[in-house]
Amino acid sequence: MKKLWFPLTVLSLFLLCILRPAQAVAGAAAGLSLWYCTVLPTLLPCMVLSGYLISSSLICRLPSGPLALVTGWFCGYPMGAKTVADLWKSGRVSGQEGRRLLRLCCMPSPMFLTGFLCTGMLRLSLPESLPYLAALYLPPVLCFLPGRRRGGSGRQGEDSLNAASVDMSSVAGERRDGASAAAPPSSEAGPLQTFLNFEKAMMDGFLIMAKIGGYLMFFTMLSYFFRSWIRNPFLSSLVPGLLEMTSGIAFTVQTGLPGAVTTALCFAFAAFGGLSGLTQTMSVLKSTPFSGRSYVFWKLLQAVLTFAAVWMLCPK
């Protein structure tokens, strides 16, 4: 049955597109518009440039943790995960360090939060938004603290952990390939090789952005379908928000829920990222030992903590 759930889901979505063409077209158009007008210009330049810089000798001496943190927090989903995956493939972080960094650096960008969520949807000024932004960015820091390494940098314990979730022989081969492909070029590399490295980073960015566009389209379509079925205001906000955070936030603002509930739900959706953000993250973590279940657990925990903190901060 586990092997059938995804084909059955795709079949159900296909039938819904035939039976409810109006919602299908509206959802696909909304998702692609969001991707083209907001996500593509925001993420693609940062994705290409960060991919090239990580593979170059320009920032090879910078600490990996701050690099992943800055990229993830300022560029948004899924740039933090992509940076961690690139750092692992190049051998700059271990699997254990990468798992901890994923708890911290996979967040929505401040541009999205202040421009779309706070100002556009909730009509909050910047001073009014600051406590809520702190309530969103503090839980990842708290989740980052457990599991801090106290020993050295040996990899034997890490290898035993990875063996429980992935085939280490295949991962080791992929890692060697990724390390050789992403290894910093030597100082004697000519301009042509430098250009080719940049072109590779650009093509990788285009491929990832195309995947993100597809995920946004399909999950926004699902949000539109559920929205047309569910009449309960809370559920009609919760389900779309868990599927795709941007459309879920817009739906939540339109449902007429109390102000505190609306604000807390919107920030919780942003902290979780939705299943659309999860699939985007998993697509950039391909061929790495990082577990999707662990990522979902920490994101759900962060969403719950954010909801509780924003709820307490909101005037009742």
Side-chain angles (χ1 to χ4, degrees):
M1 188 63 184
K2 292 182 179 180
K3 295 182 179 180
L4 294 177
W5 73 267
F6 187 75
L8 291 175
T9 302
V10 174
L11 177 61
S12 300
L13 182 59
F14 176 74
L15 294 176
L16 286 173
C17 291
I18 296 176
L19 298 175
R20 294 178 173 266
Q23 288 87 353
V25 172
L32 290 176
S33 176
L34 171 66
W35 174 77
Y36 181 75
C37 296
T38 303
V39 177
L40 184 66
T42 302
L43 283 187
L44 183 58
C46 296
M47 189 172 293
V48 173
L49 295 176
S50 65
Y52 170 74
L53 290 175
I54 290 174
S55 66
S56 71
S57 59
L58 182 61
I59 59 172
C60 63
R61 295 184 180 181
L62 291 180
S64 301
L67 174 62
L69 176 64
V70 170
T71 305
W73 280 28
F74 283 90
C75 299
Y77 301 112
M79 278 303 302
K82 181 181 182 300
T83 302
V84 172
D86 290 342
L87 291 171
W88 180 83
K89 291 177 182 179
S90 64
R92 293 185 57 185
V93 298
S94 65
Q96 183 175 351
E97 293 166 337
R99 280 185 284 271
R100 292 186 63 239
L101 283 174
L102 285 176
R103 306 176 197 172
L104 179 65
C105 67
C106 295
M107 294 295 294
S109 69
M111 293 176 58
F112 172 84
L113 293 174
T114 57
F116 176 77
L117 175 55
C118 297
T119 304
M121 293 287 103
L122 299 176
R123 307 299 180 186
L124 298 173
S125 64
L126 183 59
E128 293 173 328
S129 305
L130 290 179
Y132 303 137
L133 295 176
L136 189 144
Y137 282 110
L138 181 59
V141 178
L142 299 178
C143 293
F144 176 73
L145 298 178
R148 184 175 181 179
R149 299 185 66 177
R150 293 182 174 84
S153 58
R155 301 282 181 97
Q156 293 180 355
E158 174 195 332
D159 291 342
S160 62
L161 289 174
N162 291 344
S165 57
V166 296
D167 183 357
M168 285 307 298
S169 60
S170 60
V171 169
E174 289 167 353
R175 181 161 188 170
R176 286 193 296 270
D177 294 341
S180 62
S186 65
S187 58
E188 299 179 356
L192 178 59
Q193 184 60 46
T194 301
F195 172 76
L196 293 177
N197 291 337
F198 179 80
E199 188 178 60
K200 181 181 183 302
M202 185 166 57
M203 296 307 297
D204 291 342
F206 287 155
L207 177 60
I208 294 173
M209 288 307 304
K211 292 181 180 180
I212 291 174
Y215 288 132
L216 277 174
M217 179 182 68
F218 287 116
F219 278 100
T220 305
M221 287 171 59
L222 284 174
S223 297
Y224 271 68
F225 289 137
F226 278 103
R227 177 78 170 177
S228 66
W229 297 331
I230 302 173
R231 300 304 177 187
N232 182 278
F234 181 79
L235 291 179
S236 66
S237 302
L238 181 63
V239 174
L242 292 177
L243 289 173
E244 208 289 308
M245 68 173 180
T246 307
S247 57
I249 289 171
F251 288 149
T252 302
V253 173
Q254 299 169 5
T255 52
L257 292 169
V261 177
T262 298
T263 304
L265 279 176
C266 289
F267 277 93
F269 294 153
F272 177 59
L275 294 179
S276 175
L278 170 64
T279 55
Q280 296 169 27
T281 300
M282 291 299 100
S283 69
V284 300
L285 292 179
K286 190 177 180 181
S287 301
T288 68
F290 306 127
S291 169
R293 293 182 180 179
S294 175
Y295 176 80
V296 171
F297 168 79
W298 289 108
K299 293 306 293 181
L300 284 173
L301 178 59
Q302 292 171 16
V304 171
L305 293 175
T306 298
F307 180 90
V310 174
W311 168 263
M312 290 187 292
L313 291 171
C314 284
K316 306 299 189 292

